[in-house]
Amino acid sequence: MLPAVGAGLLALQVRTEDWATAEAAAKLCSPLSHVEATAERTMLRALAGHCLAPIAGHADVVENGNEVLLIGKVFSPDGKTCLQSTLQGPSPEAVGAGVAAELFFQGAGSVLEDAR
């Protein structure tokens, strides 16, 4: 089972000129998590998804940190239709967009329209 896009991510927001807090928060940032989140969020954005859309996705940095692997799924509200796409590449944006494009090719547009 794939999680919702961005499940488990934590975002911190600091005041614009609060450099001490920004520096402390930056130590918590994982560059690999950022790449994974970028791939997942790019897919979600391309599918025009939101927090209630039946879209799942999970990205992992692979190949010694040089590529990102993304699995994306779109479900019908009744669960009878499950569309899936998997893509791996060096650019998280290209991988996310590619997975979304493949899901659209499989019919995600109409599946998601039915879920609205």
Side-chain angles (χ1 to χ4, degrees), residues 18-106:
D18 187 348
W19 305 115
T21 302
E23 186 176 320
K27 294 175 184 174
L28 301 173
C29 184
S30 163
L32 298 181
S33 294
H34 180 72
V35 168
E36 293 164 347
T38 299
E40 292 179 16
R41 294 182 72 202
T42 299
M43 177 194 70
L44 185 67
R45 192 175 312 110
L47 292 170
H50 50 80
C51 62
L52 298 177
I55 300 170
H58 183 73
D60 281 308
V61 172
V62 296
E63 301 296 329
N64 296 320
N66 295 319
E67 294 196 352
V68 61
L69 171 70
L70 175 62
I71 302 169
K73 291 186 178 184
V74 171
F75 303 90
S76 62
D78 62 9
K80 292 181 181 178
T81 300
C82 174
L83 309 175
Q84 178 175 324
S85 177
T86 302
L87 186 61
Q88 180 175 325
S91 165
E93 293 87 354
V95 168
V99 167
E102 174 59 28
L103 290 168
F104 273 124
F105 180 76
Q106 294 177 30

